[in-house]
Amino acid sequence: MTLESSERDFAAQFGAFAAEGLLYPQREGSPLLEFTAGGRVLYLFDRLGPYAVQPGAARVVVHGILEHAEVLEPQEDPTEALTVIGVSAAEGCGRVLQAGRNTWVVQARLPLVLSAFEPLPAARVGEWVAFRTAPPLHGFIVV
């Protein structure tokens, strides 16, 4: 099973959920983008190739492959959470913006596209979920 047909198609498909933030200059030879959004610094594997974007304000689809995913019981006052783990993984909880069989889009301080190779637990838009991703997070620049 594949999660994307091409990098550009994936960026176009989820472009409406791109996080807005700041890209820092890319280190020569590094495949990682340093991206700040939602009060977090994320190191994202650059999926569109080196030098595809200039440093500065940017819209980036942040994509993670899930290691853990669960739908949370309704809470009276839920709070979005996002914690960076190691260099390029994340865990947290947030509200589902879009749900499919293998992909959720979750608002957890910033919008995240979260995918799994196995079917995800059934979640509806508006429900809250908890997640943990495997490294690395992927970054798709939206132009």
Side-chain angles (χ1 to χ4, degrees), residues 69-131:
E70 67 177 300
V71 177
L72 299 175
E73 294 296 321
Q75 300 175 25
E76 191 165 312
D77 212 7
T79 303
E80 293 178 16
L82 182 64
T83 302
V84 176
I85 303 169
V87 173
S88 187
E91 69 180 359
C93 66
R95 185 175 47 86
V96 175
L97 303 175
Q98 180 177 306
R101 180 179 170 161
N102 294 79
T103 302
W104 292 337
V105 178
V106 176
Q107 176 65 38
R109 297 186 60 91
L110 61 128
L112 302 166
V113 178
L114 303 172
S115 300
F117 290 104
E118 304 290 326
L120 290 168
R124 292 187 308 265
V125 171
E127 288 187 307
W128 285 75
V129 295
F131 61 88

Side-chain angles (χ1 to χ4, degrees), residues 6-67:
S6 78
E7 291 86 352
R8 297 207 187 284
D9 288 347
F10 189 88
Q13 178 182 357
F14 292 104
F17 301 106
E20 296 192 20
L22 185 63
L23 276 173
Y24 290 91
Q26 196 167 358
R27 223 179 128 131
E28 185 68 35
S30 174
L32 295 180
L33 299 169
E34 186 175 359
F35 181 61
T36 302
R40 300 291 181 262
V41 176
L42 304 173
Y43 290 90
L44 309 173
F45 182 70
D46 184 356
R47 292 301 305 276
L48 295 178
Y51 318 113
V53 67
Q54 295 297 312
R59 296 181 62 236
V60 179
V61 175
V62 178
H63 182 228
I65 305 301
L66 290 164
E67 287 185 334

